[in-house]
Every structure is written in structure tokens, then in C-alpha cells.
Amino acid sequence: MHRVGSAGNTTNSVRPRKEKRLTYVLSDADDTKHCAGINCLKVLKSTVSNGCDYLFTGSRDGTLKRWAISEDSATCSATFESHVDWVNDAVLAGDSTLVSCSSDTALKTWNCLSDGTCTKTLRQHSDYVTCLAAAEKNSNIVASGGLGGEVFIWDVEAALTPVSKSGDAMEDDCLNGVNGSTNSLPMTSLRTISSNNSISVHTTQGYVPIGAKGHKESVYALAMNDSGTRLVSGGIEKVVRVWDPRTGSKAMKLRGHTDNIRALLLDSTGRYCLSGSSDSMIRLWDLGMQRCVHSYAVHTDSVWALASTPTFSHVYSGGRDLSLYLTDLATRESLLLCKKEHPILQLALHDDSIWVATTDSSVDRWPAEAHNPQKVFKRGGSFLAGNLSFSRARVSLEGSIPVPVYKEPTLTIPGTSAIVQHEILNNRRHVLTKDTAGSVKLWEITRGIVIEDYGKVSFEERKEQLFEMVSIPAWFTVDTRLGNLSVHLDTPQCFSAEMYSADLNIVGKPEDDKVNLARETLKGLLAHWLAKRRQRLGCQASANGDVLSGKDIASRSLAHSRVDVDGGAENDSMVYPPFQFSTVSPPSVVTEGSQGGPWRKKITDLDGSEDEKDFPWWCLDCVLNNRLPPRENTKCSFYLHPCEGSAFQILTQGKLSAPRILRIHKVVNYVVEKMVLDKPLDNLNTDGTFAPGLGGHLQHSVVGDGSFRSGVKPWQKLKPSIEILCNNQVLSPDMSLATVRAYIWKKPEDLILNYRSAQGR
């Protein structure tokens, strides 16, 4: 399983300080659709007659969505965006609180009927949070479990209620693991369960509850009865553990499964428990008798999802074998309701229908007859569930494969196709992608848009066709874990790539101005934020103590490292066309500041109040102060000699140095200029830079400083025809020094270029 690296290192670490990363997530699709697998489903029934029922979905794209459900339609009415990794589970606590958990190790609470604003972030887990459980009739109790082996009990009501606190109580909030500026979570409301200990209750402010030492087993499933008096947990240990959350005592441990436990259900009273496992079995446990009373061999592979009828007489089950079954717990009679194209991850009953979530981005509603399941059995096609694992598999091999009762769902909420393959092209501005539908698209990541949709073509062939012989530093990395393109910027590497404004077709800017790709991309991403911030600064000119000023950033950044002011660019907020991001489908920014942990938000939802508590300081320093951190050498060293046998004199004896992006036609100009003007060799220093008074570094001389931009130069009247070679290969005038080094020279030593009269002229 993928692990997310730490965003920073600890205070006592002796390793170099790792700066916070900035990521932006691109989407060209409809924002009202998920673009990755649906991990969880929850139905909220309307409390008024003729009211609207809602379905909540949590996805591997990192967002949750609320759908208004009618008989024949589902409309997305809100997107809940704040998690920075997969949303793994969600529960409803009471009538209006949605609680979600994620692989970003956090729980988040939301007003589920709001526009999607996160009300609280709860951080206590040490690893991915995989599962949640809520008490139906005790709306403030929620349990969470994760890969770290911890199970926590949360009093959500206490977590959401503001409490008065003195100035020095702020630190306690951080220790408690709860993020928020106005709310704190009393430690009496948080308990932790380990596999070996009873629930430990901590009432002393400032102490963080932890699981038993050495307990490493992951928790995959939780369930709680309606009143919140009984909790069951299961995972890698293959046992069902039963707890009493009220007293903190460990009630029992039930053995029987031979593989990971992936799904759990409790009946309303808390006496009966259903468990689904990777051993393909479903087991029914009588917790009063402390034993397994029935085993059901229905599936041919891992059971990942369970849902029961209101009376707990029948169970709906789905999993890795793509099948949804209905099983009578008393008679052991079982039916195949439907067959999916993707593994089933979660189920949610809704009246006489059932919502089915899979690893695909769409969600289907199927008939379920939950209030009278016998109606389905009357249609025939049932079989008797065995009590030995894989008995269904053996029956299938013998040819009696059950026929699904239903062929088509009654309603589908479509998603968009997730990106599953990508390639960063050599120009370091375009990324080629392929999605689950087989569509191949070309993205421009400095604008966050698809510039070409090739349809269903060969990814490899298209990649070959788009190959360019150019060499630009790798200034960003990409992953598709969320189903979209996530572009990661890490300092100082991200500031290593530059291009001339002419190559970017920027009108109104001198063609030889160097443009830093990361700097302009950051300006594009934060243009809305900057405009909002300036509005706020205008309103708060008299008192802007809460807004980070450029001076603050400057002193902070200088304390961290030496910084270079980007002298080649104006200190303004102008965003050039190649770096303007769409406001129709704006990207989301994922990052972390000095406080509060990572967060995610659409760039158009930033309100200008975000400062160094929210953003990495280096991003703010770049956007507000035009400053870039120290970068690796952006110059290329080379020797320039006449070709062997050429009648040309040796113009330079020492090593030259110029920007890596310098084009060969500029080197041609330099040679012509030197030949015609016949500058004496003693004016050239051995390191390849001009002596004072002769135009500065070669970089300026070749690129063209002010003295060469006006009027006609003497050599332009003569125009000798010169060509440049490397390894006896004539170089294209459009090639950069970096490209020549990477594709023609191919050696670690300094580049050697030769010049001669153009052949055949």
C-alpha cells in the first residue's frame, strides 16, 4: 500500500530541513463527478414527508459528494474537499454531521447540509485511517480504526463544541491532535483501544492516548450497535474483538476466520455480529454465547462489503469476486442479485434499493426488497450456501454458475474515467495520459488544461510521435493516485527550469528574457489568492497584523537560506498567457504551512487570508517578493574551437560559460561577432568571461545586452555564414546547449563545440 511521506522532519532531527511541498491537482472533467473508485456510501433519510433523501459518497479522488436522490435521478448538490488523500470511510453522526476518514491520517467533520465546508480536523492516528463506526441512537459517538493498529472513540459533540480557553491552552489543542482555532477536544472524550489493552481513558490535559506498545496489526473494519454500548473491530489479526466503550473493558475475542477481516456488522441490540473476510467466508457470531453460530460460503474471493435488512434476517454481501449476493441467515438460502465489472467496496441500503460502490468512479442503485427479501427468492435461482470455504468456487467449476436476478441497475450516478498511465514529455510542460476508458490526452501543466484529446489510440505510439530532442531540467513530478494528475513542486528543484520568453510566445516581453517556469506557474496558481489578499490589505491598511507582509517573509526566508532575487522578472503579479489557469475547472492546491497539517482547496476558493500558517514560506516568498531559493548551477560550460583543418583563427582559448537554455544560433552570432570585430584575445579571461568594460559575461554578450539591441551591428552587414558542430555533427540553430550536451555530446566532461564555414554555400 502506498505511503505518504512526512511533510517535514522532527525538531530534533539532524538531517537537513525538508521544506513543505506544494501540489496542484488538475481536472478537465465535470466537478460534479468523481474520477476514482468510491470507497464509501452513506444514506441520509429526510425527516420530513416529501423531503429529499441524500446519498453521500467518498472517493479515492480525495473528495466527498452529496447527491439529492429522487426516483429517477441523482443530482450533485455539494462537494466536500479538504482531505489530501483517499477518503476511506464516512459515517453520519446525528442529523447534520458527516464524519470522514482518509489515508491522510485525519478525520474530518462537516455540516452535511452545508456547502461543503470542513468544520474540524481530528488528528490522532499514526497511519491511514481505514474505517469508521457510529452509534445510530447516540449521535455523538464515533469510532475510528487504521493501519497503525489504533482504534479511537470520539465524542464528536465535544469535539465540535467551542470551549473557553486561555492563551496558553493553544498548545494543549495541538497535543490533543485536534486542529482548529476556536475549538478544543477535552481528553475525556477520546479513548484509544489496542488489541492487548482495554480502552484507556485519559482525563489529564496535554497527554496523548496511545495504543499498546508493539501493536502493529492494521484494523480494517469496525461496527457499533445503535446505542453505542458495544463495538467490534477486525483486521489483519483474523479475530473479531469486542469492546464495551462505556467502561473501557475488553469483552471478548472471537476466532474462526483464516484471513483478514474486511467487513463487520452488528444488529441493533449488539448481540449478533456478521463478519466478512478475505478467506471468502461470512460468519454469524452470537456475542452472548461468544461463538460462531453459522458460516456462509457464498463468495469465491474476499468479502469486502456487508449490509443487512432492518430485521437482521438477511445479509447483502459483495467483494473482490464482483458479485452481490443476498443470503437468508436462517435458511442459508442465497441468491446472486447482480454481477459487476469491478470489485465491490461498500453497500448502503436505501428503502427497497441498495447502492453499490466499486473501484470504478460510478455508483449504481439496484433493487433489494430489503423489507420483504422473500419476494426476490420467489423468482428462483437460489442455492444453499455451504459452510466450507470456496465451495461456491467448486460449484462454479462444475458448470452451475448462478444467474444474476437483475441485469441492469435502476439508477446510475456516472463518474469520469481515472487516469491510470502518464508520461512527462521532454519539453517539461506537457504530460501525456491514458485513462480507464482508454482515452489518450495531452495536458499542458503550466495552464492545467487538456490541449489535445487523441481518443482511443496507442499510448506508446503517441508518445513516440511527440518525442522532442530537447533537454529541460525535471522541475516537477507527477502522480495519478487520486485519478487526476497531481503535480508536485519541491523547492529548490522546482526552480531549475527556465525558458526564453520568445520560446513561450509571450507578447510584449523582450524575447531574450528568461522565464522561470515554476515561478510563473506559482503566480498563475495563486493569482486569485493574491487578488483577494490585496483586497484584504486594502481594507486592513490600518491593522494588518494577521497578514504576512513581504518584510516578514524576507526575514524568515533569509533565516532559512540564502535567496536569490529573480532580477530578470518584474516584481509584479502579472500572469502571462502560458501560465493562466482555468477558472471553469480550476485546479485544487494541496499543501501545508507552519501549522495545522496538510489541506486541499480549489484555487478559486482561496479567500486571501491564507498566510505562512497555511502555505510553505518559499511559495509566499516567490509570489510576494519575487525571490527564488539558491538553485543548482543553471550554466553550461563549454569550449569553442575552429574545426580541424579550418582556416579560422582560434577566437577563444579558455572555457566559456552560458545559460543552459542558450540556443546554438546565439553561439553562431557570437562567433561571427568575434570574427568581424576581431576582439583581441587578451581581453578575454581564461574562465571565458569578458574583462570589465566589454559587456560582462558571455551570457550577456551572446544573449544580447542593451549595447547589441539597437541599431545595425557592424557584422550584420557582412553576415559570414557559420555552422556549429559537436562530435562532428552539425547542430540545428534552435538546439540549446543543454540539448546538445544530453543528446549529442553524451559525456560528463565539458562540452566541446567547433565552428566552420557553412558547407555548400
Side-chain angles (χ1 to χ4, degrees), residues 9-267:
N9 52 357
T10 57
T11 316
N12 299 325
S13 174
V14 294
R15 290 186 297 172
R17 181 178 186 271
K18 183 169 169 50
E19 297 296 351
K20 305 286 197 299
R21 160 182 280 187
L22 184 125
T23 295
Y24 57 103
V25 183
L26 304 179
S27 173
D28 72 323
D30 186 349
D31 190 43
T32 62
K33 295 177 181 175
H34 285 299
C35 69
I38 311 297
N39 280 343
C40 54
L41 301 165
K42 280 295 169 289
V43 173
L44 178 64
K45 293 280 293 174
S46 173
T47 53
V48 296
S49 59
N50 299 322
C52 182
D53 291 352
Y54 290 112
L55 174 71
F56 295 90
T57 54
S59 169
R60 294 176 176 183
D61 64 16
T63 69
L64 299 105
K65 293 186 185 294
R66 182 182 69 225
W67 308 86
I69 303 297
S70 67
E71 187 60 37
D72 54 4
S73 70
T75 308
C76 179
S77 57
T79 296
F80 301 84
E81 184 172 13
S82 183
H83 283 297
V84 301
D85 208 333
W86 290 10
V87 175
N88 292 325
D89 205 358
V91 293
L92 288 160
D95 297 328
S96 62
T97 301
L98 179 71
V99 184
S100 59
C101 70
S102 164
S103 296
D104 62 14
T105 75
L107 282 76
K108 289 183 183 283
T109 61
W110 320 77
N111 179 337
C112 68
L113 302 177
S114 73
D115 60 355
T117 306
C118 175
T119 53
K120 202 70 170 180
T121 298
L122 310 173
R123 301 186 193 280
Q124 198 70 40
H125 285 269
S126 63
D127 208 331
Y128 293 6
V129 193
T130 52
C131 51
L132 297 172
E136 191 84 11
K137 293 176 182 171
N138 191 349
S139 61
N140 60 324
I141 300 298
V142 171
S144 61
L147 296 191
E150 310 121 331
V151 174
F152 293 111
I153 308 290
W154 302 86
D155 184 331
V156 177
E157 198 174 297
L160 296 177
T161 305
V163 297
S164 60
K165 59 184 177 184
S166 61
D168 58 356
M170 290 293 285
E171 191 175 347
D172 288 335
D173 272 2
C174 299
L175 288 168
N176 293 346
V178 181
N179 289 47
S181 56
T182 58
N183 305 337
S184 68
L185 178 67
M187 292 314 294
T188 49
S189 64
L190 176 61
R191 301 164 183 173
T192 178
I193 303 176
S194 70
S195 67
N196 308 323
N197 290 3
S198 62
I199 302 174
S200 48
V201 184
H202 295 265
T203 55
T204 312
Q205 279 283 346
Y207 283 88
V208 180
I210 54 172
K213 290 181 180 178
H215 176 47
K216 301 292 183 188
E217 293 84 351
S218 299
V219 177
Y220 287 137
L222 291 171
M224 206 182 292
N225 65 332
D226 285 0
S227 59
T229 57
R230 183 160 272 174
L231 175 73
V232 289
S233 62
I236 285 180
E237 293 175 301
K238 308 168 192 168
V239 298
V240 177
R241 296 182 180 278
V242 187
W243 312 87
D244 183 344
R246 298 164 303 172
T247 62
S249 61
K250 183 168 58 176
M252 64 191 86
K253 189 160 62 174
L254 305 169
R255 300 183 184 277
H257 283 295
T258 58
D259 207 337
N260 302 341
I261 293 170
R262 298 301 302 263
L264 289 167
L265 280 182
L266 275 176
D267 76 330

Side-chain angles (χ1 to χ4, degrees), residues 318-332:
R320 197 172 176 177
D321 61 2
L322 322 180
S323 304
L324 176 65
Y325 287 98
L326 171 63
T327 304
D328 186 322
L329 296 177
T331 66
R332 311 180 65 81

Side-chain angles (χ1 to χ4, degrees), residues 267-307:
D267 76 330
S268 58
T269 65
R271 175 170 179 181
Y272 292 103
C273 172
L274 276 166
S275 58
S277 166
S278 296
D279 63 12
S280 81
M281 297 295 289
I282 301 170
R283 290 182 180 270
L284 176 65
W285 309 83
D286 184 326
L287 303 186
M289 299 169 65
Q290 300 193 17
R291 69 182 187 88
C292 175
V293 289
H294 283 300
S295 296
Y296 307 90
V298 176
H299 290 270
T300 58
D301 208 332
S302 300
V303 181
W304 288 349
L306 297 173

